Amino acid sequence: MRSDAVMEPGGDLTLRSLRTLLATAIALFGFHTPAHSASFEPAVFLENNCARCHNDEEWRGGWSLGGVDLHQPLTYQEIWEKVVRKLRHRQMPPIGAKKPRPNESAYTAMIDYLESSIDRAVADAPNPGRTESLRRLNRTEYENAIRDLLALDIDATALLPHDESGHGFDNVNVGDLSPALLDRYVSAAQKIARLAVGITHNKIDSHVVRVKADVTQEAHIPGLPIGTRGGVLIPFTFSRDGQYDIRVWLMRDRNEAVEGLHEPHELEIILDRQAVATFTINPPEDVRDYSQVDKHLNVRMSVTAGPHDLGVTFPKRQSSLLETARQPLQAHFNMHRHPRLTPAVFQVSITGPYAAEGITDTPSRRQIFVSYPSRVGEEDASAREILAVLMRRAYRRPVADSDVEGLMGFFREGRSGGSFDAGIERALSALLVSSEFLFRVEMDPAEAPPGSIYRVSDIELASRLSFFLWSSIPDDKLLDAAVSGELSQPANLAKQVRRMLNDARSYNLVSNFAGQWLHLRKLEGWRPDARLFPDVDDNLRQAFRTETELLIEYVLKQDKSVLELLDADYTFLNERLAKHYGISGVYGSHFRRVTLESDRTRGGILRHGSILAVTSYATRTSPVIRGKWVLDNVFGAPPEPPPPDVPTLDENIVSASLPIKERLAQHQSRPECASCHKTIDPIGFALENFDAVGRWRDFEEGAPVYVSGSLPDGSRFDGVGGLEAALLRRPELFAQTLTEKLLTFALGRGVAYYDAPAVRKILRDAEGDGYRFSSLILGIVESAPFQMRRAR
């Protein structure tokens, strides 16, 4: 082999050395120039378009092609994968480089050349990466696991602290369990076990549910009976049969006056859609004292143990339409800008049980007590059977008699001071703080040499699959397939994936995965300036999120192409959201699929209020945040983080009355900012037809909105429609971005360069199926990173 085939570190990548390298590669690995590009010369392409990039003053990334040895494709795979990524997104060479950019056929030929070369080189030695050996259930997974293990719905946000995110998802940085966090898990386990078994130990509990201050209660609340308005619907699990006090407080303004109480109103307390009590609320005789207005809103009622829907609401009165030149505000909660028109519920307390009468056959008890002793001598056998079933589901594996015996000690301890049920409760509390329940455990086989690659067991594969698709524990069907050794068989695995996607629990991919991928969780903290945007309330905030979740659920459940997330000619609306968007003919609080006109301003996710809101400031839009969001989550080319020594843009020296394009002109004037903002800002400008709360506009401050944009490949367009069309001209980029996000969520680790061959295979297989959602998911489940692991 020629000695000049290897470049010295830091050396220049000359045309001669490139040709020598590529000739060596052809000899060693059988690389070839694609047949459709017979005249294509990879060495010339790299010399002209890549070799100089690391020396370009506008080029960043901290890496170069110097010292790269194609004799060792696995050793230098990271560098070549970076080159492929830059070429695929047409970021190499940068826009504005002195030499002309390659044409599309040259780009395609070079990408095919490099990708096929790398994929062939790693085919016999795949690197699936390594997931952590111990991964704690995060808050969402814990809540779902309790639901599926005990048939009990809990609010984990009230029991456990927030999980920190890594690589965009909160199931990544979950390897620790501090003493303080362990105390929270112990406390949660005790509460959950007591509620599931139904033992209160003669304790009176009180739960308070508070309605958000910015909820408008002038219209119907979903889930409450038709013909009512306002109030709150509370799904609640009552611990035992007995008497419970329900107490209601009304919303007050800063002067302690009940808002909207100008005449008598009726209030109803409803249990499972049946009225329990009706009250009349009268304005006080002394308008300075509202302290007694809601003192009588209290009822004690008999309730059976288990889950119920408790509602507090007002019968809706007839009203005439307001005739105004402009659409009246929909938000009513601020006493000065948009006061309430009628009274509203502030909080509801549930206290009990009083005179506890026993325990009804609740869903939780049916799930737990698969056996029940008829006499004392049968208690140990029944307890063993109960605990064996619970442990198998909770530990996600078969359990031995020795495993069960460990919990039997807790059962006997609880039984000695109480009943059989008390013993099961004590054992259940211990199970819920067991490391095998709280942690997902993947240990290297004892015989696996360090650094070797091995397939995970069927038991581990079952947990990977269920936590990916459901964010929860495997069900009995999945676990049975794993125990029998049939799960890893390709046909059986595909069958299980399809079954799980058709299960209601796959909504996790919508609420949990998409909520983090698209930043929908940030809506909870979204508070635009009330002076500039007075018609924003929590009703609109929740409608934004529901619209996006329903679109993703529809594409998933109907197994549509994921590209429909970008170019859908329909959306999901209720009356509140339709009015905000200026769409007529939609009435009521329920959401429905609405087909849009050809000149639509709504449709795919780039037109959703949820996305437009979380990518804006409180007072204005932000082309920077929106452009970065698109690059990160749609285009798949996140910009480099800004250098630490670059000061933030001082907007105080720029007139706020100028159009946003001129206000951001400083980005282009600073060399340290220009390289990234020349890519970020033009994408954000394309979304400027939408204001900071997602409404369509053609003018800003009396001037036409600037909506001209471009992608890193130099293609130019106008507006959101042009941006969508530009993205869909190369659909593989969005499909790749979504696949990498799904893979990160599935593995609980960031996607690395060595995952690129697996991602390419997923995309090649899915392309022929039109990038259907199920094709991407099945491709991930069948991939090496999902089914294999590298030993430490």
Short mmCIF file of all heavy atoms in Angstrom, two decimals, residues 612 615 620-630 649 658-668 676-691 696-697 700 704-711 716-723:
data_model
loop_
_atom_site.label_atom_id
_atom_site.label_comp_id
_atom_site.label_asym_id
_atom_site.label_seq_id
_atom_site.Cartn_x
_atom_site.Cartn_y
_atom_site.Cartn_z
N LEU A 612 -46.40 27.62 16.72
CA LEU A 612 -46.14 29.05 16.53
C LEU A 612 -46.07 29.78 17.85
O LEU A 612 -45.32 30.76 18.00
CB LEU A 612 -47.23 29.64 15.64
CG LEU A 612 -47.31 29.01 14.24
CD1 LEU A 612 -48.65 29.33 13.59
CD2 LEU A 612 -46.16 29.49 13.36
N THR A 615 -42.72 29.03 19.90
CA THR A 615 -41.53 29.56 19.22
C THR A 615 -41.60 31.08 19.08
O THR A 615 -40.99 31.65 18.18
CB THR A 615 -41.36 28.91 17.83
OG1 THR A 615 -42.56 29.09 17.07
CG2 THR A 615 -41.07 27.44 17.95
N ARG A 620 -43.77 39.34 20.80
CA ARG A 620 -43.61 39.34 19.34
C ARG A 620 -43.17 37.97 18.88
O ARG A 620 -42.83 37.08 19.68
CB ARG A 620 -42.58 40.38 18.91
CG ARG A 620 -41.16 40.11 19.42
CD ARG A 620 -40.16 40.97 18.68
NE ARG A 620 -38.81 40.82 19.16
CZ ARG A 620 -37.96 39.84 18.79
NH1 ARG A 620 -38.36 38.89 17.95
NH2 ARG A 620 -36.73 39.81 19.26
N THR A 621 -43.18 37.82 17.57
CA THR A 621 -42.67 36.58 16.99
C THR A 621 -41.14 36.57 17.07
O THR A 621 -40.50 37.59 17.34
CB THR A 621 -43.08 36.47 15.52
OG1 THR A 621 -42.54 37.59 14.81
CG2 THR A 621 -44.59 36.46 15.37
N SER A 622 -40.56 35.40 16.81
CA SER A 622 -39.11 35.28 16.78
C SER A 622 -38.69 34.40 15.61
O SER A 622 -38.75 33.17 15.70
CB SER A 622 -38.57 34.66 18.08
OG SER A 622 -37.18 34.41 17.98
N PRO A 623 -38.29 35.01 14.48
CA PRO A 623 -37.78 34.20 13.37
C PRO A 623 -36.59 33.33 13.78
O PRO A 623 -36.40 32.26 13.21
CB PRO A 623 -37.37 35.25 12.34
CG PRO A 623 -38.21 36.44 12.64
CD PRO A 623 -38.36 36.45 14.14
N VAL A 624 -35.82 33.79 14.75
CA VAL A 624 -34.66 33.00 15.21
C VAL A 624 -35.12 31.71 15.88
O VAL A 624 -34.66 30.62 15.55
CB VAL A 624 -33.79 33.83 16.17
CG1 VAL A 624 -32.62 32.98 16.68
CG2 VAL A 624 -33.27 35.07 15.47
N ILE A 625 -36.04 31.84 16.84
CA ILE A 625 -36.52 30.64 17.55
C ILE A 625 -37.26 29.72 16.59
O ILE A 625 -37.08 28.49 16.61
CB ILE A 625 -37.42 31.03 18.73
CG1 ILE A 625 -36.63 31.87 19.74
CG2 ILE A 625 -37.99 29.79 19.41
CD1 ILE A 625 -37.48 32.38 20.90
N ARG A 626 -38.09 30.30 15.73
CA ARG A 626 -38.85 29.47 14.79
C ARG A 626 -37.93 28.80 13.78
O ARG A 626 -38.08 27.61 13.48
CB ARG A 626 -39.90 30.33 14.07
CG ARG A 626 -41.06 30.72 14.96
CD ARG A 626 -42.08 31.60 14.25
NE ARG A 626 -43.25 31.84 15.08
CZ ARG A 626 -44.27 32.63 14.73
NH1 ARG A 626 -44.25 33.25 13.56
NH2 ARG A 626 -45.30 32.79 15.54
N GLY A 627 -36.95 29.55 13.28
CA GLY A 627 -36.02 28.94 12.33
C GLY A 627 -35.22 27.83 12.95
O GLY A 627 -35.02 26.77 12.34
N LYS A 628 -34.75 28.04 14.16
CA LYS A 628 -33.99 26.99 14.85
C LYS A 628 -34.86 25.78 15.13
O LYS A 628 -34.42 24.63 15.00
CB LYS A 628 -33.42 27.53 16.16
CG LYS A 628 -32.55 26.53 16.91
CD LYS A 628 -32.00 27.13 18.20
CE LYS A 628 -31.08 26.13 18.91
NZ LYS A 628 -31.76 24.88 19.28
N TRP A 629 -36.13 26.02 15.48
CA TRP A 629 -37.05 24.91 15.74
C TRP A 629 -37.22 24.05 14.49
O TRP A 629 -37.20 22.81 14.57
CB TRP A 629 -38.40 25.44 16.21
CG TRP A 629 -39.37 24.39 16.63
CD1 TRP A 629 -39.58 23.90 17.88
CD2 TRP A 629 -40.26 23.65 15.76
NE1 TRP A 629 -40.54 22.91 17.86
CE2 TRP A 629 -40.97 22.74 16.57
CE3 TRP A 629 -40.51 23.68 14.40
CZ2 TRP A 629 -41.92 21.88 16.05
CZ3 TRP A 629 -41.46 22.81 13.88
CH2 TRP A 629 -42.16 21.93 14.70
N VAL A 630 -37.38 24.69 13.34
CA VAL A 630 -37.53 23.94 12.09
C VAL A 630 -36.26 23.16 11.77
O VAL A 630 -36.30 21.98 11.39
CB VAL A 630 -37.90 24.87 10.93
CG1 VAL A 630 -37.89 24.13 9.60
CG2 VAL A 630 -39.29 25.49 11.16
N LEU A 649 -27.87 39.77 21.39
CA LEU A 649 -28.25 40.91 20.56
C LEU A 649 -28.95 41.96 21.42
O LEU A 649 -29.92 41.67 22.12
CB LEU A 649 -29.20 40.45 19.45
CG LEU A 649 -29.64 41.50 18.45
CD1 LEU A 649 -28.46 41.99 17.64
CD2 LEU A 649 -30.71 40.91 17.53
N LEU A 658 -39.58 49.11 13.88
CA LEU A 658 -39.09 48.60 12.60
C LEU A 658 -39.60 47.19 12.36
O LEU A 658 -39.87 46.43 13.29
CB LEU A 658 -37.55 48.58 12.62
CG LEU A 658 -36.83 49.93 12.58
CD1 LEU A 658 -35.33 49.73 12.73
CD2 LEU A 658 -37.15 50.67 11.27
N PRO A 659 -39.74 46.79 11.09
CA PRO A 659 -40.08 45.40 10.79
C PRO A 659 -39.05 44.45 11.39
O PRO A 659 -37.89 44.80 11.57
CB PRO A 659 -40.08 45.35 9.26
CG PRO A 659 -40.29 46.77 8.83
CD PRO A 659 -39.62 47.61 9.88
N ILE A 660 -39.49 43.22 11.67
CA ILE A 660 -38.62 42.27 12.36
C ILE A 660 -37.36 41.97 11.55
O ILE A 660 -36.29 41.76 12.11
CB ILE A 660 -39.40 40.97 12.67
CG1 ILE A 660 -38.58 40.06 13.59
CG2 ILE A 660 -39.78 40.24 11.40
CD1 ILE A 660 -38.37 40.62 14.96
N LYS A 661 -37.46 41.99 10.22
CA LYS A 661 -36.27 41.72 9.40
C LYS A 661 -35.19 42.76 9.67
O LYS A 661 -34.00 42.43 9.78
CB LYS A 661 -36.64 41.70 7.92
CG LYS A 661 -35.46 41.39 7.00
CD LYS A 661 -35.91 41.34 5.55
CE LYS A 661 -34.76 40.93 4.64
NZ LYS A 661 -33.69 41.94 4.62
N GLU A 662 -35.59 44.01 9.77
CA GLU A 662 -34.60 45.05 10.01
C GLU A 662 -34.08 45.01 11.44
O GLU A 662 -32.93 45.35 11.72
CB GLU A 662 -35.21 46.42 9.69
CG GLU A 662 -35.57 46.57 8.21
CD GLU A 662 -36.18 47.93 7.92
OE1 GLU A 662 -35.86 48.89 8.65
OE2 GLU A 662 -36.97 48.03 6.97
N ARG A 663 -34.96 44.61 12.37
CA ARG A 663 -34.51 44.50 13.76
C ARG A 663 -33.44 43.43 13.93
O ARG A 663 -32.60 43.50 14.81
CB ARG A 663 -35.70 44.21 14.67
CG ARG A 663 -36.48 45.45 15.07
CD ARG A 663 -37.60 45.09 16.01
NE ARG A 663 -38.85 44.85 15.32
CZ ARG A 663 -39.93 44.32 15.90
NH1 ARG A 663 -39.88 43.95 17.16
NH2 ARG A 663 -41.03 44.14 15.21
N LEU A 664 -33.52 42.40 13.09
CA LEU A 664 -32.56 41.30 13.20
C LEU A 664 -31.37 41.48 12.27
O LEU A 664 -30.55 40.56 12.14
CB LEU A 664 -33.26 39.97 12.89
CG LEU A 664 -34.38 39.56 13.86
CD1 LEU A 664 -34.97 38.22 13.45
CD2 LEU A 664 -33.89 39.50 15.29
N ALA A 665 -31.26 42.63 11.62
CA ALA A 665 -30.18 42.83 10.66
C ALA A 665 -28.81 42.76 11.34
O ALA A 665 -27.80 42.46 10.68
CB ALA A 665 -30.35 44.18 9.97
N GLN A 666 -28.75 43.01 12.66
CA GLN A 666 -27.48 42.92 13.37
C GLN A 666 -26.86 41.54 13.24
O GLN A 666 -25.64 41.39 13.27
CB GLN A 666 -27.67 43.26 14.85
CG GLN A 666 -27.79 44.74 15.14
CD GLN A 666 -27.70 44.98 16.63
OE1 GLN A 666 -26.65 44.79 17.24
NE2 GLN A 666 -28.81 45.40 17.21
N HIS A 667 -27.72 40.51 13.16
CA HIS A 667 -27.18 39.14 13.03
C HIS A 667 -26.30 39.02 11.80
O HIS A 667 -25.30 38.30 11.81
CB HIS A 667 -28.34 38.14 12.92
CG HIS A 667 -29.08 37.96 14.20
ND1 HIS A 667 -30.38 37.49 14.24
CD2 HIS A 667 -28.73 38.17 15.48
CE1 HIS A 667 -30.78 37.42 15.49
NE2 HIS A 667 -29.81 37.83 16.26
N GLN A 668 -26.70 39.70 10.73
CA GLN A 668 -25.95 39.59 9.49
C GLN A 668 -24.69 40.45 9.50
O GLN A 668 -23.76 40.21 8.73
CB GLN A 668 -26.84 40.02 8.31
CG GLN A 668 -28.19 39.30 8.25
CD GLN A 668 -28.07 37.82 7.99
OE1 GLN A 668 -27.10 37.38 7.38
NE2 GLN A 668 -29.03 37.04 8.46
N CYS A 676 -24.29 31.34 11.26
CA CYS A 676 -25.46 30.54 11.63
C CYS A 676 -26.76 31.26 11.29
O CYS A 676 -27.72 30.63 10.82
CB CYS A 676 -25.44 30.23 13.13
SG CYS A 676 -24.20 29.00 13.61
N HIS A 677 -26.82 32.56 11.53
CA HIS A 677 -28.08 33.26 11.33
C HIS A 677 -28.45 33.42 9.87
O HIS A 677 -29.62 33.63 9.54
CB HIS A 677 -28.05 34.61 12.04
CG HIS A 677 -28.27 34.49 13.52
ND1 HIS A 677 -29.51 34.36 14.08
CD2 HIS A 677 -27.38 34.42 14.55
CE1 HIS A 677 -29.40 34.25 15.40
NE2 HIS A 677 -28.11 34.28 15.71
N LYS A 678 -27.48 33.31 8.96
CA LYS A 678 -27.82 33.30 7.53
C LYS A 678 -28.62 32.05 7.18
O LYS A 678 -29.33 32.02 6.18
CB LYS A 678 -26.55 33.37 6.69
CG LYS A 678 -25.93 34.76 6.64
CD LYS A 678 -24.94 34.91 5.51
CE LYS A 678 -23.80 33.92 5.60
NZ LYS A 678 -22.76 34.18 4.57
N THR A 679 -28.50 31.01 8.01
CA THR A 679 -29.28 29.79 7.81
C THR A 679 -30.57 29.80 8.62
O THR A 679 -31.63 29.41 8.13
CB THR A 679 -28.44 28.56 8.20
OG1 THR A 679 -27.27 28.51 7.39
CG2 THR A 679 -29.24 27.28 8.03
N ILE A 680 -30.49 30.28 9.87
CA ILE A 680 -31.63 30.21 10.78
C ILE A 680 -32.72 31.21 10.40
O ILE A 680 -33.89 30.85 10.24
CB ILE A 680 -31.17 30.48 12.23
CG1 ILE A 680 -30.18 29.42 12.70
CG2 ILE A 680 -32.36 30.54 13.16
CD1 ILE A 680 -29.53 29.74 14.04
N ASP A 681 -32.34 32.48 10.28
CA ASP A 681 -33.33 33.55 10.14
C ASP A 681 -34.23 33.42 8.91
O ASP A 681 -35.45 33.63 9.02
CB ASP A 681 -32.64 34.92 10.14
CG ASP A 681 -31.93 35.20 11.46
OD1 ASP A 681 -32.01 34.36 12.36
OD2 ASP A 681 -31.30 36.26 11.58
N PRO A 682 -33.70 33.09 7.72
CA PRO A 682 -34.59 33.00 6.55
C PRO A 682 -35.70 31.97 6.71
O PRO A 682 -36.81 32.17 6.17
CB PRO A 682 -33.63 32.62 5.41
CG PRO A 682 -32.30 33.15 5.85
CD PRO A 682 -32.28 32.93 7.32
N ILE A 683 -35.45 30.88 7.42
CA ILE A 683 -36.51 29.89 7.64
C ILE A 683 -37.58 30.47 8.54
O ILE A 683 -38.78 30.30 8.31
CB ILE A 683 -35.92 28.59 8.23
CG1 ILE A 683 -34.97 27.94 7.23
CG2 ILE A 683 -37.02 27.63 8.64
CD1 ILE A 683 -34.26 26.71 7.75
N GLY A 684 -37.14 31.19 9.58
CA GLY A 684 -38.11 31.81 10.48
C GLY A 684 -38.94 32.88 9.81
O GLY A 684 -40.13 33.05 10.11
N PHE A 685 -38.34 33.63 8.87
CA PHE A 685 -39.09 34.67 8.16
C PHE A 685 -40.27 34.08 7.39
O PHE A 685 -41.31 34.73 7.22
CB PHE A 685 -38.18 35.43 7.19
CG PHE A 685 -37.20 36.35 7.87
CD1 PHE A 685 -35.89 36.43 7.44
CD2 PHE A 685 -37.59 37.13 8.95
CE1 PHE A 685 -34.99 37.28 8.06
CE2 PHE A 685 -36.70 37.97 9.59
CZ PHE A 685 -35.40 38.05 9.14
N ALA A 686 -40.13 32.85 6.90
CA ALA A 686 -41.20 32.23 6.13
C ALA A 686 -42.47 32.02 6.96
O ALA A 686 -43.56 31.85 6.40
CB ALA A 686 -40.73 30.89 5.57
N LEU A 687 -42.35 32.05 8.29
CA LEU A 687 -43.51 31.84 9.17
C LEU A 687 -44.04 33.15 9.74
O LEU A 687 -44.88 33.13 10.65
CB LEU A 687 -43.10 30.91 10.32
CG LEU A 687 -42.62 29.51 9.91
CD1 LEU A 687 -42.17 28.72 11.13
CD2 LEU A 687 -43.70 28.75 9.15
N GLU A 688 -43.58 34.28 9.22
CA GLU A 688 -43.97 35.57 9.77
C GLU A 688 -45.41 35.97 9.48
O GLU A 688 -45.90 36.95 10.04
CB GLU A 688 -43.01 36.66 9.27
CG GLU A 688 -41.74 36.77 10.07
CD GLU A 688 -42.03 37.22 11.50
OE1 GLU A 688 -42.38 38.39 11.72
OE2 GLU A 688 -41.95 36.37 12.41
N ASN A 689 -46.11 35.21 8.61
CA ASN A 689 -47.54 35.49 8.45
C ASN A 689 -48.33 35.16 9.70
O ASN A 689 -49.50 35.56 9.82
CB ASN A 689 -48.12 34.71 7.27
CG ASN A 689 -47.92 35.42 5.94
OD1 ASN A 689 -47.46 34.85 4.98
ND2 ASN A 689 -48.30 36.70 5.90
N PHE A 690 -47.72 34.43 10.63
CA PHE A 690 -48.39 34.08 11.89
C PHE A 690 -47.82 34.93 13.01
O PHE A 690 -46.60 35.00 13.19
CB PHE A 690 -48.17 32.60 12.20
CG PHE A 690 -48.72 31.66 11.15
CD1 PHE A 690 -47.87 31.09 10.22
CD2 PHE A 690 -50.06 31.37 11.09
CE1 PHE A 690 -48.35 30.23 9.25
CE2 PHE A 690 -50.57 30.51 10.12
CZ PHE A 690 -49.71 29.94 9.19
N ASP A 691 -48.71 35.55 13.78
CA ASP A 691 -48.22 36.39 14.86
C ASP A 691 -47.83 35.55 16.08
O ASP A 691 -47.79 34.31 16.01
CB ASP A 691 -49.24 37.47 15.22
CG ASP A 691 -50.50 36.92 15.88
OD1 ASP A 691 -50.55 35.71 16.21
OD2 ASP A 691 -51.46 37.71 16.07
N TRP A 696 -53.25 34.48 11.74
CA TRP A 696 -52.75 34.87 10.41
C TRP A 696 -52.77 36.39 10.29
O TRP A 696 -53.68 37.07 10.75
CB TRP A 696 -53.61 34.25 9.33
CG TRP A 696 -53.11 34.56 7.94
CD1 TRP A 696 -53.49 35.60 7.14
CD2 TRP A 696 -52.12 33.84 7.21
NE1 TRP A 696 -52.81 35.57 5.95
CE2 TRP A 696 -51.95 34.48 5.96
CE3 TRP A 696 -51.36 32.70 7.48
CZ2 TRP A 696 -51.07 34.04 4.99
CZ3 TRP A 696 -50.48 32.26 6.51
CH2 TRP A 696 -50.32 32.91 5.28
N ARG A 697 -51.75 36.91 9.62
CA ARG A 697 -51.69 38.34 9.36
C ARG A 697 -50.97 38.56 8.03
O ARG A 697 -50.08 37.80 7.66
CB ARG A 697 -50.93 39.07 10.48
CG ARG A 697 -49.49 38.57 10.61
CD ARG A 697 -48.74 39.23 11.73
NE ARG A 697 -47.37 38.73 11.78
CZ ARG A 697 -46.44 39.19 12.60
NH1 ARG A 697 -46.73 40.17 13.44
NH2 ARG A 697 -45.22 38.70 12.58
N GLU A 700 -47.88 44.00 9.34
CA GLU A 700 -47.38 44.28 10.69
C GLU A 700 -47.03 45.75 10.75
O GLU A 700 -46.24 46.24 9.95
CB GLU A 700 -46.14 43.43 11.02
CG GLU A 700 -45.62 43.69 12.42
CD GLU A 700 -44.30 42.98 12.70
OE1 GLU A 700 -43.60 42.63 11.72
OE2 GLU A 700 -43.98 42.79 13.88
N PRO A 704 -46.51 45.42 4.79
CA PRO A 704 -46.62 43.99 4.46
C PRO A 704 -45.57 43.18 5.22
O PRO A 704 -44.42 43.60 5.38
CB PRO A 704 -46.38 43.95 2.95
CG PRO A 704 -46.71 45.32 2.48
CD PRO A 704 -46.32 46.25 3.58
N VAL A 705 -45.99 42.01 5.68
CA VAL A 705 -45.08 41.14 6.43
C VAL A 705 -44.05 40.55 5.47
O VAL A 705 -44.39 40.11 4.36
CB VAL A 705 -45.86 40.01 7.13
CG1 VAL A 705 -44.91 39.07 7.84
CG2 VAL A 705 -46.86 40.60 8.12
N TYR A 706 -42.79 40.56 5.89
CA TYR A 706 -41.71 39.98 5.08
C TYR A 706 -41.68 38.48 5.30
O TYR A 706 -41.45 38.00 6.42
CB TYR A 706 -40.37 40.60 5.48
CG TYR A 706 -39.19 40.09 4.67
CD1 TYR A 706 -38.89 40.64 3.42
CD2 TYR A 706 -38.39 39.05 5.15
CE1 TYR A 706 -37.81 40.18 2.68
CE2 TYR A 706 -37.31 38.58 4.41
CZ TYR A 706 -37.03 39.14 3.19
OH TYR A 706 -35.96 38.69 2.45
N VAL A 707 -41.92 37.67 4.26
CA VAL A 707 -42.02 36.22 4.41
C VAL A 707 -41.11 35.48 3.45
O VAL A 707 -41.29 34.28 3.22
CB VAL A 707 -43.48 35.75 4.21
CG1 VAL A 707 -44.38 36.28 5.32
CG2 VAL A 707 -44.01 36.16 2.85
N SER A 708 -40.12 36.14 2.88
CA SER A 708 -39.19 35.46 1.98
C SER A 708 -38.17 34.68 2.78
O SER A 708 -37.59 35.20 3.74
CB SER A 708 -38.48 36.48 1.08
OG SER A 708 -39.40 37.10 0.20
N GLY A 709 -37.95 33.44 2.39
CA GLY A 709 -37.02 32.60 3.12
C GLY A 709 -36.20 31.73 2.22
O GLY A 709 -36.36 31.74 0.99
N SER A 710 -35.31 30.95 2.82
CA SER A 710 -34.47 30.03 2.06
C SER A 710 -34.01 28.91 2.96
O SER A 710 -34.01 29.04 4.19
CB SER A 710 -33.26 30.77 1.48
OG SER A 710 -32.44 31.27 2.52
N LEU A 711 -33.63 27.80 2.34
CA LEU A 711 -33.05 26.66 3.05
C LEU A 711 -31.54 26.67 2.87
O LEU A 711 -31.01 27.39 2.02
CB LEU A 711 -33.65 25.35 2.50
CG LEU A 711 -35.11 25.06 2.87
CD1 LEU A 711 -35.56 23.78 2.19
CD2 LEU A 711 -35.28 24.94 4.38
N ARG A 716 -34.99 29.27 -2.59
CA ARG A 716 -35.73 30.38 -2.01
C ARG A 716 -37.23 30.15 -2.19
O ARG A 716 -37.68 29.47 -3.11
CB ARG A 716 -35.31 31.70 -2.65
CG ARG A 716 -33.82 32.02 -2.49
CD ARG A 716 -33.54 33.49 -2.73
NE ARG A 716 -34.23 34.34 -1.77
CZ ARG A 716 -33.79 34.59 -0.53
NH1 ARG A 716 -32.66 34.05 -0.10
NH2 ARG A 716 -34.47 35.39 0.27
N PHE A 717 -38.01 30.75 -1.31
CA PHE A 717 -39.45 30.56 -1.32
C PHE A 717 -40.09 31.70 -0.55
O PHE A 717 -39.40 32.47 0.14
CB PHE A 717 -39.84 29.21 -0.71
CG PHE A 717 -39.13 28.93 0.59
CD1 PHE A 717 -39.55 29.49 1.79
CD2 PHE A 717 -38.01 28.11 0.62
CE1 PHE A 717 -38.89 29.25 2.97
CE2 PHE A 717 -37.34 27.86 1.81
CZ PHE A 717 -37.78 28.43 2.99
N ASP A 718 -41.40 31.76 -0.60
CA ASP A 718 -42.16 32.77 0.13
C ASP A 718 -43.22 32.09 0.98
O ASP A 718 -44.01 31.27 0.48
CB ASP A 718 -42.85 33.76 -0.82
CG ASP A 718 -41.87 34.70 -1.49
OD1 ASP A 718 -40.86 35.05 -0.86
OD2 ASP A 718 -42.12 35.07 -2.67
N GLY A 719 -43.25 32.44 2.26
CA GLY A 719 -44.32 32.01 3.14
C GLY A 719 -44.26 30.56 3.56
O GLY A 719 -43.40 29.78 3.13
N VAL A 720 -45.23 30.20 4.39
CA VAL A 720 -45.25 28.84 4.96
C VAL A 720 -45.51 27.80 3.87
O VAL A 720 -44.95 26.70 3.91
CB VAL A 720 -46.31 28.75 6.07
CG1 VAL A 720 -47.71 29.04 5.55
CG2 VAL A 720 -46.26 27.39 6.76
N GLY A 721 -46.32 28.15 2.86
CA GLY A 721 -46.57 27.20 1.77
C GLY A 721 -45.30 26.91 0.99
O GLY A 721 -45.03 25.77 0.62
N GLY A 722 -44.51 27.94 0.76
CA GLY A 722 -43.24 27.74 0.07
C GLY A 722 -42.27 26.92 0.89
O GLY A 722 -41.54 26.08 0.36
N LEU A 723 -42.25 27.16 2.21
CA LEU A 723 -41.38 26.38 3.09
C LEU A 723 -41.78 24.91 3.07
O LEU A 723 -40.92 24.02 2.97
CB LEU A 723 -41.44 26.95 4.50
CG LEU A 723 -40.70 26.16 5.59
CD1 LEU A 723 -39.22 26.01 5.26
CD2 LEU A 723 -40.88 26.84 6.96
#
